[in-house]
Amino acid sequence: MRKLALDDLKVRGTRVLVRVDFNVPLQRDAAGRHSVSDGTRVLAALPTVNAIRRAGGKVILMSHLGRPQGVPKPGLSLSPIAAYLADSLKAPVAFVRATVGREAQEAVDALPDGGVLLLENTRFHPGEPKNDPGFASSLAALGDVFVNDAFGTAHRAHASNVGVASHLPQAAAGYLLQRELKYLGQVVRRPGRPFIALVGGAKVSDKIGVLSSLVTKADTVLVGGAMSYTFLKALGHKTGNSLVEDHWLQEAEQMYRGAGGRLRLPLDHVISAAADGSGGCGLSDGDIPPGQMGLDIGPRTMETYRQIILDARTVVWNGPVGVFEIPAFAGGTCAVAQAMAEATRLGATTVVGGGDSVAAVTEAGLVDKVTHVCTGGGAMLDFLEGKTLPGVAALSDKS
């Protein structure tokens, strides 16, 4: 990587401002207290935090949580995350209910070498998503060097990841960000062949860019989820009441025809009259009848996709292939997760990204059975599409 990395910095006795991605789900108990329900992203930041602590640096963490629209909201405070982080580190974590200003500065000044401080939600400030120079400068005043370890926001040009980097002499990638770029870079530039991409989700419009890129890079692109019905309708198939983006039919057909057989669509479908499963379930081995909608890939597609994945040397997966939140329509996504784990065991490099795909491998207990679980779905898609990630571009060059 041509960018400065954490190990390139000398942090002893310095204030290290670290952008992390602690945008994690919270739960509330009967007393109204919030706690972390899934701390995967917090745990992913521990290697970077611990490395700075061991080197004698002062760790000042900043993150967003949710979408408070620039207004402080108690339910989106990072306070419960500070408690979770302290338990995970088995060390004290200071928390300040401010992101910039005198209160934040005093908390930083009180921090000992090796200490950890978590600032309040960066999105409580309206200048964060606007990459406001004033807000970025105020954040930078709290540190001596900057480390970005938040891949999940690397595709956004915000004050806490892009703006702050321009106000400090050194801006480096943390361990998590380096790991993400390593595996995604390998997928894009040096994939083992056959290289298989599996792309699911609801809308062609959300994935058209990455699909266009992947059909030029991958040996086979497998399509699943509701967006497959836009392709199928474009090719003349009956899709019943399935979700279809009619204004994308022409683009879908052109992409399919131009892919030269590299883009594969479902062969059969789990169908129902209702997306919540209340309408019962059936199977369609071709066209979907009126009044029914496709909600998952069928058994023939599951086996076909599984065999293609098992024959691969590199597999990247983003997006579920069905409405996996409903048990009746989760079979396809679970089958893909199992196939990814099996392919990994056979020696393939497997990368999973996107919230729903990650949730699927997590629920199946397969997180440790794939090569890499990506912490940022949107950033992953932009990277695979070939876009520049502002949060990475803003880092200091090694030279």
Side-chain angles (χ1 to χ4, degrees):
M1 193 177 72
R2 300 188 188 95
K3 295 295 183 177
L4 209 62
L6 173 58
D7 289 342
D8 297 321
L9 303 180
K10 295 180 180 179
V11 301
R12 180 170 300 279
T14 66
R15 303 171 302 164
V16 186
L17 195 59
V18 186
R19 179 54 158 102
V20 289
D21 185 3
F22 287 172
N23 186 31
V24 300
L26 301 179
Q27 59 191 3
R28 188 168 63 175
D29 63 18
R33 294 179 298 243
H34 287 88
S35 62
V36 175
S37 60
D38 181 359
T40 302
R41 290 184 172 182
V42 177
L43 299 178
L46 295 187
T48 291
V49 173
N50 279 324
I52 298 170
R53 290 177 61 222
R54 287 193 299 269
K58 304 171 194 244
V59 187
I60 301 116
L61 301 171
M62 51 184 178
S63 175
H64 76 285
L65 176 62
R67 298 180 177 178
Q69 306 298 326
V71 178
K73 295 182 179 179
L76 293 176
S77 172
L78 268 61
S79 176
I81 299 175
Y84 182 90
L85 178 61
D87 288 341
S88 302
L89 288 172
K90 296 179 173 54
V93 174
F95 176 72
V96 58
R97 294 188 181 277
T99 312
V100 293
R102 182 180 58 81
E103 190 178 353
Q105 187 64 63
E106 290 175 352
V108 170
D109 292 343
L111 200 61
D113 290 349
V116 181
L117 168 68
L118 178 60
L119 304 174
E120 185 56 284
N121 193 336
T122 59
R123 288 189 183 172
F124 282 180
H125 196 291
E128 163 70 331
K130 299 175 183 177
N131 194 13
D132 177 71
F135 181 51
S137 177
S138 296
L139 284 171
L142 302 176
D144 299 308
V145 295
F146 173 59
V147 171
N148 191 350
D149 211 30
F151 180 74
T153 61
H155 61 315
R156 308 293 188 196
H158 288 180
S160 64
N161 66 342
V162 171
V164 71
S166 66
H167 291 280
L168 289 171
Q170 292 178 305
Y175 292 151
L176 174 61
L177 182 57
Q178 292 175 56
R179 180 177 169 83
E180 299 277 16
L181 296 174
K182 171 189 173 183
Y183 283 107
L184 289 176
Q186 179 179 335
V187 165
V188 170
R189 290 185 283 273
R190 298 182 303 278
R193 301 283 180 178
F195 168 29
I196 307 301
L198 173 59
V199 182
K203 297 180 178 181
V204 172
S205 55
D206 290 340
K207 304 286 178 77
I208 192 73
V210 73
L211 284 171
S212 298
S213 177
L214 286 172
V215 293
T216 68
K217 296 182 175 74
D219 297 287
T220 304
V221 177
L222 307 174
V223 176
M227 70 175 178
S228 61
Y229 300 108
T230 298
F231 281 99
L232 289 167
K233 185 174 181 178
L235 297 176
H237 294 277
K238 294 180 173 61
T239 56
N241 290 351
S242 303
L243 178 63
V244 171
E245 292 180 284
D246 287 317
H247 55 292
W248 283 91
L249 292 175
Q250 183 177 353
E251 287 85 351
E253 181 182 9
Q254 289 174 347
M255 177 180 293
Y256 182 83
R257 305 293 185 199
R262 291 189 301 277
L263 195 150
R264 303 285 293 272
L265 299 171
L267 305 168
D268 58 346
H269 321 274
V270 177
I271 61 174
S272 177
D276 61 3
S278 61
C281 294
L283 284 175
S284 169
D285 204 30
D287 290 344
I288 298 173
Q292 299 286 307
M293 62 184 77
L295 296 164
D296 194 11
I297 58 174
R300 192 153 64 100
T301 306
M302 291 182 205
E303 181 58 24
T304 300
Y305 282 14
R306 175 178 174 273
Q307 288 300 328
I308 293 172
I309 290 169
L310 294 187
D311 288 339
R313 301 304 299 165
T314 304
V315 190
V316 60
W317 175 28
N318 183 287
V321 297
V323 186
F324 87 104
E325 300 90 342
I326 307 299
F329 312 126
T333 301
C334 291
V336 168
Q338 292 286 350
M340 292 286 285
E342 193 173 350
T344 311
R345 184 177 60 79
L346 293 173
T349 296
T350 55
V351 179
V352 181
D356 290 336
S357 303
V358 172
V361 295
T362 301
E363 290 174 15
L366 300 173
V367 168
D368 296 330
K369 305 298 183 183
V370 296
T371 306
H372 180 63
V373 175
C374 195
T375 57
M380 174 186 182
L381 290 175
D382 279 6
F383 190 98
L384 292 175
E385 189 176 339
K387 293 181 177 178
T388 297
L389 302 183
V392 177
L395 300 178
S396 305
D397 294 329
K398 271 187 181 289
S399 58

